[in-house]
Amino acid sequence: MSALRPAARAAVRTTTTTATTSLTTSSSYASTTALVPARFRYFSATPRRAGGGGMQYDPPSGWLWGVRPGEKYQNEGWEGPFFYGFWGSMIVFAVAYAWKPDTSIQTWALEEARRRLEAEGILEDE
């Protein structure tokens, strides 16, 4: 409180006394937050509410994937594109990996050694 100007200090004193007498009204919240120093204010002007958006837990039904026996499972909209996109990309990756050029250092060194030995006449040409 000592960081406030004298006029603001007096306003905070009167506001806090009125706020303690009427804690249930929303006007007391607005009047107390307006005179609080900026370092103690939140970014939001609305008061924080506890709890959030409600219940997020979906209790288990006891059935596998929530489908009762005798009922037909209905695909959701994302399942088809995900299935074909995932397995299609896996097949494309496997084919590309199988036919990629061999660029390892061991293969290059073996070819270089064979070429030099052939140039010197130690190894016959194939």
Side-chain angles (χ1 to χ4, degrees):
M1 293 264 280
S2 63
L4 295 174
R5 295 187 308 263
R9 191 178 311 135
V12 168
R13 259 191 243 123
T14 58
T15 307
T16 54
T17 57
T18 58
T20 55
T21 57
S22 61
L23 289 175
T24 57
T25 62
S26 63
S27 64
S28 66
Y29 176 78
S31 63
T32 57
T33 55
L35 298 173
V36 174
R39 62 182 175 188
F40 295 121
R41 281 189 235 146
Y42 297 111
F43 290 113
S44 175
T46 59
R48 293 185 183 196
R49 293 180 178 89
M55 185 173 162
Q56 299 293 325
Y57 177 69
D58 189 16
S61 65
W63 305 107
L64 184 62
W65 291 296
V67 178
R68 294 188 171 126
E71 290 182 4
K72 182 166 173 51
Y73 178 74
Q74 293 180 350
N75 284 338
E76 296 181 12
W78 60 269
E79 292 178 10
F82 179 81
F83 178 80
Y84 292 114
F86 179 78
W87 290 112
S89 64
M90 286 294 132
I91 291 170
V92 168
F93 174 75
V95 168
Y97 188 74
W99 275 285
K100 76 175 183 75
D102 187 11
T103 58
S104 67
I105 189 72
Q106 290 87 2
T107 305
W108 173 84
L110 183 64
E111 291 293 324
E112 184 69 21
R114 184 162 26 99
R115 192 170 353 137
R116 288 181 184 182
L117 289 174
E118 287 173 355
E120 292 179 6
I122 299 173
L123 195 66
E124 338 175 316
D125 291 336
E126 293 181 16

